[in-house]
Amino acid sequence: MVSVILGTQWGDEGKGKIVDLLAEKSDFVVRFHGGNNAGHTIYSGNKKYPLHLIPSGILNPNSKCVIANGVIVDLEVLVSEIEMFFSDGIEFKNRFFISDRCHLILPYHKALDLAYENARGEKKLGTTARGIGPCYADKVSYNGIRIYELKDWDLFSEKFVFQSEMKNKILDSFGVAPLNTERELERLAELREIVLPFITDTYQLLQKALSENKKILMEGAQAVMLDLDFSPYPFCTGSNTIPGAINTGAGIPIQKIGSISGIVKAYTSRVGSGPFPTELKDKLGDDLREKGKEFGTTTGRPRRVGWLDLEAVKFACEVSGVTEIIITKIDILSGLEKIKACIGYELDGKPIPYSSCGYLELEKLTPVFKEFSGWTEDIMQVKSFADLPKTCQEYVKFIEDFLDITVKLISTGPKREEFLEIRN
Ligand code: IMP
């Protein structure tokens, strides 16, 4: 009854649209890790909704949306998303829930994220500056503040003031102006009023849903290649992004997981620093970025783009136990004479698997490419696999054979109806 959507690359694979599509068949859509570093765009007709925190199923009136305990929450962002929907008349009173166990991203986390990045100078990691790393660091060093604590304002205020003043000392050591604790607290008091009605014990909610055999869709954020443990650290995000995080981040036992859909973008993109073996630094890369609108939903930053890296995707599928593949943005490759995909790595003339590479190896190695003939046809309206151009079919078939996992769905455009189902 539990199905999972995961990005198999460095994020921005187009998960939001797929979750939105699958949410129609789901009773619950749940986020279980990460924060508002995620950015998903969903559409209702021509109306575009950029989302960073609220699960992508929110446009489906029959789905309940849950921000489970593994997510870290910036109240300012959450409230702006709630208000964006309310101002469009989209109500979700009894179908949006936030775990009281979630940790809060507080103003000093964002200030620290920036201060650390600035201190790294040339070696900055390119974080989204949303306070993700510092917030998770506070969580594991017992300095975090949970949403739970918002229930008792005096207790919350005391903790916030203590933490804020401690963080001001750190900021001062970086030469950064201190935060105005009192003003931040006043703002938090306003935000608290708006979010309190949505706060609940989501563990109980989800256990009940499991016992009633409800369909639960787990919405992965970021992607497997940014996993805190399985990425070339420190070029990662602050949370585990693989399905193990479903157990810790939502309390759902792993035996309950039925299917794990791995989203594979037909080419690769990444934001921020870090190794990228198949990166295209030429005009072709610029063209793909423009055509694929590869600019961050969260930060607006231009994304780095490159060919599909099947060596990395194979690892991502393996470590996550992906049971089916969904290919996205294949339409962006239309019009290219030749398409390439990386099918392995070589270091000093010898093959090396992705999992054995740290960032030093990934920066030095040589990707081994396979070349495919492209296609010129516009495929956005194509509704069956057989109607895709032959060369496009060959590219998809190769991905399927290489990964040895069934391709279930192909997304051929940004709109909800632009997809073709290969297997039901
Ligand atoms: P952080 O998660 O903001 O700490 O950023 C750490 C790294 O993860 C940076 O390279 C970010 O660009 C990247 N990152 C974080 N969230 C996303 C996402 O949702 N999509 C793509 N990259 C992300």
Side-chain angles (χ1 to χ4, degrees):
M1 283 297 122
V2 177
S3 48
V4 184
I5 300 276
L6 285 183
T8 60
Q9 292 150 306
W10 282 270
D12 310 307
E13 293 91 355
K15 292 182 292 288
K17 169 183 160 175
I18 305 299
V19 175
D20 188 34
L21 210 60
L22 300 184
E24 280 172 16
K25 300 176 194 157
S26 310
D27 301 306
F28 286 81
V29 183
V30 183
R31 276 203 56 188
F32 53 96
H33 74 96
N36 58 299
N37 47 346
H40 295 168
T41 307
I42 55 173
Y43 294 82
S44 168
N46 283 332
K47 180 93 198 193
K48 197 171 156 176
Y49 291 101
L51 295 182
H52 301 285
L53 263 178
I54 295 185
S56 303
I58 203 73
L59 288 177
N60 174 10
N62 301 320
S63 322
K64 291 193 162 81
C65 288
V66 179
I67 294 185
N69 59 279
V71 178
I72 50 178
V73 175
D74 183 332
L75 293 180
E76 198 71 71
V77 176
L78 182 63
V79 166
S80 74
E81 289 187 5
I82 292 173
E83 287 177 343
M84 168 177 77
F85 285 114
F86 282 11
S87 69
D88 278 0
I90 299 169
E91 279 282 344
F92 38 75
K93 259 267 147 55
N94 291 312
R95 55 183 203 88
F96 177 52
F97 308 93
I98 308 164
S99 167
D100 55 2
R101 290 183 169 90
C102 290
H103 277 248
L104 288 166
I105 300 181
L106 292 160
Y108 47 75
H109 292 130
K110 293 177 264 188
L112 283 173
D113 200 349
L114 272 177
Y116 293 144
E117 277 289 79
N118 288 336
R120 288 182 193 113
E122 296 264 286
K123 295 209 168 129
K124 72 175 179 193
L125 301 172
T127 73
T128 59
R130 299 310 190 246
I132 304 299
C135 178
Y136 276 122
D138 267 0
K139 177 175 174 177
V140 295
S141 63
Y142 323 123
N143 285 304
I145 305 183
R146 279 178 160 187
I147 283 188
Y148 171 82
E149 279 151 320
L150 284 175
K151 292 180 189 170
D152 181 329
W153 184 247
D154 291 339
L155 179 79
F156 176 85
S157 306
E158 191 188 320
K159 283 203 166 190
F160 177 77
V161 170
F162 174 73
Q163 287 297 329
S164 192
E165 281 170 7
M166 189 154 57
K167 301 311 194 287
N168 273 343
K169 288 183 195 155
I170 306 175
L171 291 172
D172 184 54
S173 74
F174 283 107
V176 176
L179 296 178
N180 184 329
T181 302
E182 213 170 297
R183 203 168 48 223
E184 299 293 358
L185 196 58
E186 275 167 26
R187 178 65 185 145
L188 285 164
E190 288 165 15
L191 298 170
R192 167 181 183 264
E193 294 308 311
I194 301 167
V195 297
L196 275 181
F198 300 105
I199 294 169
T200 190
D201 175 4
T202 59
Y203 174 79
Q204 282 296 336
L205 185 79
L206 291 172
Q207 293 301 315
K208 183 161 178 288
L210 285 172
S211 70
E212 290 170 354
N213 284 333
K214 297 284 186 205
K215 288 191 173 138
I216 303 178
L217 180 63
M218 307 301 296
E219 177 179 3
Q222 291 82 52
V224 176
M225 309 312 288
L226 290 168
D227 183 87
L228 182 56
D229 286 86
F230 284 101
S231 63
Y233 185 94
F235 301 103
C236 57
T237 189
S239 63
N240 283 112
T241 58
I242 58 175
I246 290 171
N247 189 205
T248 54
I252 291 182
I254 45 176
Q255 296 94 325
K256 300 285 180 189
I257 298 174
S259 64
I260 303 180
S261 307
I263 314 292
V264 179
K265 183 153 69 177
Y267 54 97
T268 309
S269 69
R270 86 169 287 174
V271 273
S273 320
F276 186 172
T278 62
E279 185 166 14
L280 285 163
K281 292 182 176 165
D282 53 8
K283 166 137 181 10
L284 182 55
D286 294 342
D287 292 349
L288 274 180
R289 179 180 309 108
E290 285 301 320
K291 190 166 176 204
K293 299 195 174 60
E294 297 294 350
F295 297 89
T297 328
T298 302
T299 58
R301 286 182 290 178
R303 297 179 187 139
R304 299 156 68 196
V305 295
W307 295 119
L308 175 61
D309 185 342
L310 284 173
E311 172 62 30
V313 171
K314 197 175 178 67
F315 165 77
C317 292
E318 201 177 80
V319 72
S320 309
V322 165
T323 57
E324 58 195 34
I325 297 289
I326 296 176
I327 298 179
T328 57
K329 296 188 94 164
I330 198 158
D331 53 300
I332 304 301
L333 299 181
S334 299
L336 294 181
E337 202 184 323
K338 296 281 174 206
I339 293 166
K340 288 187 191 176
C342 166
I343 53 167
Y345 297 156
E346 276 181 5
L347 187 65
D348 301 327
K350 294 195 196 97
I352 181 165
Y354 175 87
S355 65
S356 304
C357 299
Y359 60 87
L360 294 174
E361 288 80 9
L362 285 168
E363 265 153 16
K364 280 192 296 194
L365 57 74
T366 312
V368 179
F369 285 108
K370 179 173 167 59
E371 197 171 80
F372 299 82
S373 298
W375 57 91
T376 49
E377 296 88 333
D378 176 3
I379 57 170
M380 284 171 103
Q381 309 310 324
V382 174
K383 283 284 159 227
S384 83
F385 186 69
D387 291 339
L388 283 173
K390 280 278 161 300
T391 45
C392 182
Q393 290 184 21
E394 277 162 24
Y395 188 56
V396 172
K397 272 303 289 167
F398 184 85
I399 296 172
E400 186 168 71
D401 291 345
F402 187 90
L403 299 175
D404 198 16
I405 305 173
T406 303
V407 174
K408 192 184 172 207
L409 204 83
I410 303 177
S411 168
T412 55
K415 301 227 175 86
R416 229 190 230 193
E417 58 283 6
E418 289 162 344
F419 71 92
L420 58 98
E421 208 153 356
I422 302 192
R423 289 165 187 92
N424 291 320

PDB file of all heavy atoms in Angstrom, residues 123-142:
ATOM      1  N   LYS A 123      35.746  27.545  -2.100  1.00  0.00           N
ATOM      2  CA  LYS A 123      35.389  26.132  -1.898  1.00  0.00           C
ATOM      3  C   LYS A 123      33.959  25.975  -1.413  1.00  0.00           C
ATOM      4  O   LYS A 123      33.597  24.953  -0.822  1.00  0.00           O
ATOM      5  CB  LYS A 123      36.352  25.512  -0.887  1.00  0.00           C
ATOM      6  CG  LYS A 123      37.770  25.468  -1.389  1.00  0.00           C
ATOM      7  CD  LYS A 123      38.511  24.304  -0.779  1.00  0.00           C
ATOM      8  CE  LYS A 123      39.816  24.104  -1.508  1.00  0.00           C
ATOM      9  NZ  LYS A 123      40.959  24.029  -0.637  1.00  0.00           N
ATOM     10  N   LYS A 124      33.141  26.998  -1.639  1.00  0.00           N
ATOM     11  CA  LYS A 124      31.768  26.888  -1.136  1.00  0.00           C
ATOM     12  C   LYS A 124      31.048  25.705  -1.789  1.00  0.00           C
ATOM     13  O   LYS A 124      31.381  25.305  -2.910  1.00  0.00           O
ATOM     14  CB  LYS A 124      31.025  28.192  -1.305  1.00  0.00           C
ATOM     15  CG  LYS A 124      30.644  28.549  -2.682  1.00  0.00           C
ATOM     16  CD  LYS A 124      29.804  29.801  -2.647  1.00  0.00           C
ATOM     17  CE  LYS A 124      29.468  30.131  -4.065  1.00  0.00           C
ATOM     18  NZ  LYS A 124      28.924  31.398  -4.310  1.00  0.00           N
ATOM     19  N   LEU A 125      30.057  25.162  -1.042  1.00  0.00           N
ATOM     20  CA  LEU A 125      29.374  23.955  -1.505  1.00  0.00           C
ATOM     21  C   LEU A 125      28.214  24.269  -2.440  1.00  0.00           C
ATOM     22  O   LEU A 125      27.747  23.401  -3.159  1.00  0.00           O
ATOM     23  CB  LEU A 125      28.845  23.160  -0.305  1.00  0.00           C
ATOM     24  CG  LEU A 125      29.904  22.705   0.703  1.00  0.00           C
ATOM     25  CD1 LEU A 125      29.247  22.103   1.935  1.00  0.00           C
ATOM     26  CD2 LEU A 125      30.844  21.691   0.050  1.00  0.00           C
ATOM     27  N   GLY A 126      27.759  25.507  -2.382  1.00  0.00           N
ATOM     28  CA  GLY A 126      26.601  25.857  -3.218  1.00  0.00           C
ATOM     29  C   GLY A 126      25.306  25.371  -2.598  1.00  0.00           C
ATOM     30  O   GLY A 126      24.422  24.882  -3.307  1.00  0.00           O
ATOM     31  N   THR A 127      25.177  25.478  -1.287  1.00  0.00           N
ATOM     32  CA  THR A 127      23.916  25.070  -0.652  1.00  0.00           C
ATOM     33  C   THR A 127      22.802  25.999  -1.124  1.00  0.00           C
ATOM     34  O   THR A 127      23.073  27.060  -1.703  1.00  0.00           O
ATOM     35  CB  THR A 127      23.982  25.153   0.897  1.00  0.00           C
ATOM     36  OG1 THR A 127      23.959  26.531   1.275  1.00  0.00           O
ATOM     37  CG2 THR A 127      25.228  24.482   1.454  1.00  0.00           C
ATOM     38  N   THR A 128      21.588  25.625  -0.794  1.00  0.00           N
ATOM     39  CA  THR A 128      20.455  26.473  -1.188  1.00  0.00           C
ATOM     40  C   THR A 128      20.292  27.663  -0.230  1.00  0.00           C
ATOM     41  O   THR A 128      19.377  28.463  -0.403  1.00  0.00           O
ATOM     42  CB  THR A 128      19.142  25.664  -1.199  1.00  0.00           C
ATOM     43  OG1 THR A 128      18.942  25.133   0.114  1.00  0.00           O
ATOM     44  CG2 THR A 128      19.180  24.533  -2.211  1.00  0.00           C
ATOM     45  N   ALA A 129      21.121  27.722   0.791  1.00  0.00           N
ATOM     46  CA  ALA A 129      21.087  28.815   1.790  1.00  0.00           C
ATOM     47  C   ALA A 129      19.778  28.845   2.581  1.00  0.00           C
ATOM     48  O   ALA A 129      19.390  29.887   3.093  1.00  0.00           O
ATOM     49  CB  ALA A 129      21.348  30.172   1.125  1.00  0.00           C
ATOM     50  N   ARG A 130      19.118  27.713   2.654  1.00  0.00           N
ATOM     51  CA  ARG A 130      17.842  27.649   3.377  1.00  0.00           C
ATOM     52  C   ARG A 130      18.027  27.195   4.823  1.00  0.00           C
ATOM     53  O   ARG A 130      17.054  26.913   5.524  1.00  0.00           O
ATOM     54  CB  ARG A 130      16.865  26.690   2.668  1.00  0.00           C
ATOM     55  CG  ARG A 130      16.501  27.078   1.244  1.00  0.00           C
ATOM     56  CD  ARG A 130      16.058  28.530   1.165  1.00  0.00           C
ATOM     57  NE  ARG A 130      15.489  28.889  -0.122  1.00  0.00           N
ATOM     58  CZ  ARG A 130      16.020  29.748  -0.981  1.00  0.00           C
ATOM     59  NH1 ARG A 130      17.190  30.314  -0.738  1.00  0.00           N
ATOM     60  NH2 ARG A 130      15.398  30.055  -2.107  1.00  0.00           N
ATOM     61  N   GLY A 131      19.272  27.037   5.260  1.00  0.00           N
ATOM     62  CA  GLY A 131      19.517  26.661   6.660  1.00  0.00           C
ATOM     63  C   GLY A 131      19.432  25.170   6.919  1.00  0.00           C
ATOM     64  O   GLY A 131      19.324  24.732   8.075  1.00  0.00           O
ATOM     65  N   ILE A 132      19.502  24.382   5.848  1.00  0.00           N
ATOM     66  CA  ILE A 132      19.275  22.935   5.988  1.00  0.00           C
ATOM     67  C   ILE A 132      20.355  22.270   6.862  1.00  0.00           C
ATOM     68  O   ILE A 132      20.044  21.630   7.871  1.00  0.00           O
ATOM     69  CB  ILE A 132      19.230  22.259   4.582  1.00  0.00           C
ATOM     70  CG1 ILE A 132      18.162  22.922   3.698  1.00  0.00           C
ATOM     71  CG2 ILE A 132      19.047  20.748   4.697  1.00  0.00           C
ATOM     72  CD1 ILE A 132      16.755  22.855   4.182  1.00  0.00           C
ATOM     73  N   GLY A 133      21.612  22.424   6.460  1.00  0.00           N
ATOM     74  CA  GLY A 133      22.705  21.785   7.214  1.00  0.00           C
ATOM     75  C   GLY A 133      22.719  22.228   8.680  1.00  0.00           C
ATOM     76  O   GLY A 133      22.701  21.384   9.589  1.00  0.00           O
ATOM     77  N   PRO A 134      22.721  23.543   8.957  1.00  0.00           N
ATOM     78  CA  PRO A 134      22.738  23.983  10.353  1.00  0.00           C
ATOM     79  C   PRO A 134      21.537  23.493  11.166  1.00  0.00           C
ATOM     80  O   PRO A 134      21.658  23.202  12.350  1.00  0.00           O
ATOM     81  CB  PRO A 134      22.750  25.513  10.238  1.00  0.00           C
ATOM     82  CG  PRO A 134      23.437  25.762   8.922  1.00  0.00           C
ATOM     83  CD  PRO A 134      22.961  24.663   8.020  1.00  0.00           C
ATOM     84  N   CYS A 135      20.379  23.369  10.545  1.00  0.00           N
ATOM     85  CA  CYS A 135      19.202  22.905  11.283  1.00  0.00           C
ATOM     86  C   CYS A 135      19.351  21.420  11.641  1.00  0.00           C
ATOM     87  O   CYS A 135      19.135  21.024  12.787  1.00  0.00           O
ATOM     88  CB  CYS A 135      17.939  23.138  10.460  1.00  0.00           C
ATOM     89  SG  CYS A 135      16.462  22.547  11.295  1.00  0.00           S
ATOM     90  N   TYR A 136      19.741  20.602  10.661  1.00  0.00           N
ATOM     91  CA  TYR A 136      19.942  19.178  10.977  1.00  0.00           C
ATOM     92  C   TYR A 136      21.090  19.011  11.984  1.00  0.00           C
ATOM     93  O   TYR A 136      21.062  18.110  12.816  1.00  0.00           O
ATOM     94  CB  TYR A 136      20.211  18.362   9.710  1.00  0.00           C
ATOM     95  CG  TYR A 136      18.945  17.938   8.980  1.00  0.00           C
ATOM     96  CD1 TYR A 136      18.722  18.304   7.661  1.00  0.00           C
ATOM     97  CD2 TYR A 136      17.981  17.148   9.607  1.00  0.00           C
ATOM     98  CE1 TYR A 136      17.575  17.906   6.984  1.00  0.00           C
ATOM     99  CE2 TYR A 136      16.827  16.744   8.938  1.00  0.00           C
ATOM    100  CZ  TYR A 136      16.623  17.116   7.627  1.00  0.00           C
ATOM    101  OH  TYR A 136      15.488  16.715   6.962  1.00  0.00           O
ATOM    102  N   ALA A 137      22.102  19.883  11.893  1.00  0.00           N
ATOM    103  CA  ALA A 137      23.214  19.794  12.847  1.00  0.00           C
ATOM    104  C   ALA A 137      22.702  20.072  14.259  1.00  0.00           C
ATOM    105  O   ALA A 137      23.066  19.373  15.213  1.00  0.00           O
ATOM    106  CB  ALA A 137      24.307  20.794  12.471  1.00  0.00           C
ATOM    107  N   ASP A 138      21.821  21.060  14.397  1.00  0.00           N
ATOM    108  CA  ASP A 138      21.227  21.345  15.715  1.00  0.00           C
ATOM    109  C   ASP A 138      20.389  20.162  16.187  1.00  0.00           C
ATOM    110  O   ASP A 138      20.379  19.837  17.379  1.00  0.00           O
ATOM    111  CB  ASP A 138      20.349  22.605  15.643  1.00  0.00           C
ATOM    112  CG  ASP A 138      21.142  23.863  16.026  1.00  0.00           C
ATOM    113  OD1 ASP A 138      22.339  23.740  16.340  1.00  0.00           O
ATOM    114  OD2 ASP A 138      20.544  24.953  16.017  1.00  0.00           O
ATOM    115  N   LYS A 139      19.706  19.532  15.262  1.00  0.00           N
ATOM    116  CA  LYS A 139      18.866  18.379  15.629  1.00  0.00           C
ATOM    117  C   LYS A 139      19.725  17.294  16.286  1.00  0.00           C
ATOM    118  O   LYS A 139      19.384  16.784  17.343  1.00  0.00           O
ATOM    119  CB  LYS A 139      18.148  17.852  14.389  1.00  0.00           C
ATOM    120  CG  LYS A 139      17.296  16.610  14.614  1.00  0.00           C
ATOM    121  CD  LYS A 139      16.522  16.234  13.349  1.00  0.00           C
ATOM    122  CE  LYS A 139      15.778  14.921  13.515  1.00  0.00           C
ATOM    123  NZ  LYS A 139      14.977  14.568  12.342  1.00  0.00           N
ATOM    124  N   VAL A 140      20.860  16.975  15.669  1.00  0.00           N
ATOM    125  CA  VAL A 140      21.670  15.868  16.218  1.00  0.00           C
ATOM    126  C   VAL A 140      22.568  16.316  17.367  1.00  0.00           C
ATOM    127  O   VAL A 140      23.108  15.477  18.068  1.00  0.00           O
ATOM    128  CB  VAL A 140      22.494  15.122  15.144  1.00  0.00           C
ATOM    129  CG1 VAL A 140      21.593  14.426  14.153  1.00  0.00           C
ATOM    130  CG2 VAL A 140      23.469  16.026  14.430  1.00  0.00           C
ATOM    131  N   SER A 141      22.708  17.623  17.565  1.00  0.00           N
ATOM    132  CA  SER A 141      23.525  18.047  18.708  1.00  0.00           C
ATOM    133  C   SER A 141      22.636  18.520  19.868  1.00  0.00           C
ATOM    134  O   SER A 141      23.102  19.210  20.764  1.00  0.00           O
ATOM    135  CB  SER A 141      24.512  19.144  18.299  1.00  0.00           C
ATOM    136  OG  SER A 141      23.792  20.289  17.883  1.00  0.00           O
ATOM    137  N   TYR A 142      21.354  18.151  19.814  1.00  0.00           N
ATOM    138  CA  TYR A 142      20.372  18.464  20.878  1.00  0.00           C
ATOM    139  C   TYR A 142      20.162  19.958  21.067  1.00  0.00           C
ATOM    140  O   TYR A 142      19.745  20.397  22.134  1.00  0.00           O
ATOM    141  CB  TYR A 142      20.769  17.808  22.219  1.00  0.00           C
ATOM    142  CG  TYR A 142      21.373  16.444  22.053  1.00  0.00           C
ATOM    143  CD1 TYR A 142      22.633  16.151  22.540  1.00  0.00           C
ATOM    144  CD2 TYR A 142      20.674  15.455  21.368  1.00  0.00           C
ATOM    145  CE1 TYR A 142      23.200  14.902  22.345  1.00  0.00           C
ATOM    146  CE2 TYR A 142      21.226  14.197  21.172  1.00  0.00           C
ATOM    147  CZ  TYR A 142      22.493  13.933  21.653  1.00  0.00           C
ATOM    148  OH  TYR A 142      23.044  12.699  21.452  1.00  0.00           O
TER     149      TYR A 142
END
